Amino acid sequence: MDESFGAWPQEAAGTWFVMRTRSRQEKVLAQDLRARAVAHFLPLITVTKFYGGRKAKVETPLFPGYLFLCGSLDDAYAADRSNRVAQIIHVPDQRRLESELRCVHTAIAADGSLSPSTPPT
């Protein structure tokens, strides 16, 4: 796995925001945030896909359509202006989200058996 995407943001100070991205924009948004030195977390897992009879291992977001940003409100709005974000979701329980994201990071680092998921609508 490319550690730059799935790495836990070290010394991340700020507020956690859930960024609901436009279709298939998670990795590109993560690259934009990394270039601007904005702390974020994009949990990726490796899945096997078949393309015309060929088998390939592909890194895909664990939560398709979502990226977790840790920063200021200005950082979140700057990400929104990239036209890669569909919605900024404010997180009322910061400790719980960080704790759960750390658990996800630990499971991915330990090669836990995880599959892509989306929250119910």
Side-chain angles (χ1 to χ4, degrees):
M1 173 175 23
D2 183 352
E3 284 299 316
S4 60
F5 285 120
W8 184 255
Q10 297 300 319
E11 300 177 24
T15 303
W16 283 98
F17 297 93
V18 178
M19 312 300 282
R20 188 170 64 85
T21 65
R22 297 194 186 280
S23 180
R24 300 175 61 157
Q25 295 295 305
E26 304 92 346
K27 289 182 183 181
V28 180
L29 178 59
Q31 289 174 338
D32 290 349
L33 293 173
R34 187 174 57 244
R36 286 189 288 210
V38 175
H40 62 282
F41 179 54
L42 177 60
L44 297 175
I45 57 170
T46 302
V47 297
T48 302
K49 296 218 176 193
F50 295 91
Y51 299 101
R54 291 187 172 184
K55 187 164 104 171
K57 291 193 178 215
V58 178
E59 288 186 327
T60 185
L62 180 61
F63 306 108
Y66 293 89
L67 178 140
F68 305 93
L69 181 147
C70 185
S72 67
L73 191 55
D74 288 338
D75 293 331
Y77 288 153
D80 186 41
R81 286 190 296 274
S82 72
N83 289 325
R84 300 184 192 294
V85 176
Q87 180 183 14
I88 299 171
I89 302 169
H90 296 273
V91 178
D93 192 346
Q94 292 285 307
R95 286 187 203 174
R96 181 175 176 191
L97 177 66
E98 183 169 354
S99 172
E100 290 178 359
L101 290 178
R102 283 185 184 273
C103 289
V104 167
H105 180 261
T106 302
I108 291 171
D111 291 327
S113 178
L114 301 172
S115 59
S117 177
T118 56
T121 55

